[in-house]
Amino acid sequence: MLVLIFLYHAWKRFSELAVQFGKSKHYGWYGIVIYIGGVFLAFFLLGFLNEVMDLGINFENNTAVNLMEIPVGLLSCYLMYQVLKKKWESEFVVSETIDDIGKSTEEDSIQ
């Protein structure tokens, strides 16, 4: 149940970031996919290491393994959020308003 709160906030943060840089609000779904994908990848690797190194982890009723989902999901969302923010900041161009068209900076400095 707690995961639903984190999924909602991931969706909300990615949506707000997309709107801030003029992208579609549907990028919020990207946050949910990143959260679930990061958790899936981490547990896949943990299961693989469990089989290869014979760690003996019980995945069925292990509360510690289930609680690992929260920091892994949040970390994957945070890292992708920072990557998208940096990428979109470099691509973002401030468009001129209709009042700024035709103005030159030399007119202000001459007077």
Side-chain angles (χ1 to χ4, degrees):
M1 191 58 124
L2 188 62
V3 174
L4 293 176
I5 295 170
F6 291 127
L7 289 175
Y8 168 74
H9 284 288
W11 173 82
K12 184 177 178 185
R13 294 287 295 179
F14 275 80
S15 294
E16 289 172 354
L17 181 70
V19 169
Q20 179 183 354
F21 290 106
K23 306 282 184 184
S24 172
K25 192 174 183 177
H26 297 293
Y27 274 93
W29 291 102
Y30 196 59
I32 294 174
V33 170
I34 292 299
Y35 186 96
I36 294 171
V39 170
F40 179 78
L41 181 65
F43 281 120
F44 180 78
L45 290 175
L46 187 62
F48 179 75
L49 290 176
N50 184 37
E51 291 297 319
V52 171
M53 302 172 91
D54 197 25
L55 299 174
I57 299 173
N58 180 12
F59 289 100
E60 292 179 10
N61 290 322
N62 195 343
T63 306
V65 173
N66 292 335
L67 289 177
M68 274 181 37
E69 174 183 349
I70 295 170
V72 168
L74 291 178
L75 180 66
S76 61
C77 277
Y78 175 76
L79 292 175
M80 186 53 70
Y81 183 88
Q82 293 300 323
V83 167
L84 281 177
K85 184 177 179 183
K86 185 176 181 181
K87 180 179 184 284
W88 288 345
E89 280 177 347
S90 67
E91 294 175 352
F92 189 66
V93 177
V94 179
S95 61
E96 295 180 1
T97 61
I98 193 115
D99 296 332
D100 294 336
I101 296 175
K103 281 187 177 179
S104 70
T105 55
E106 294 175 9
E107 291 178 3
D108 296 334
S109 62
I110 296 174
Q111 295 175 350

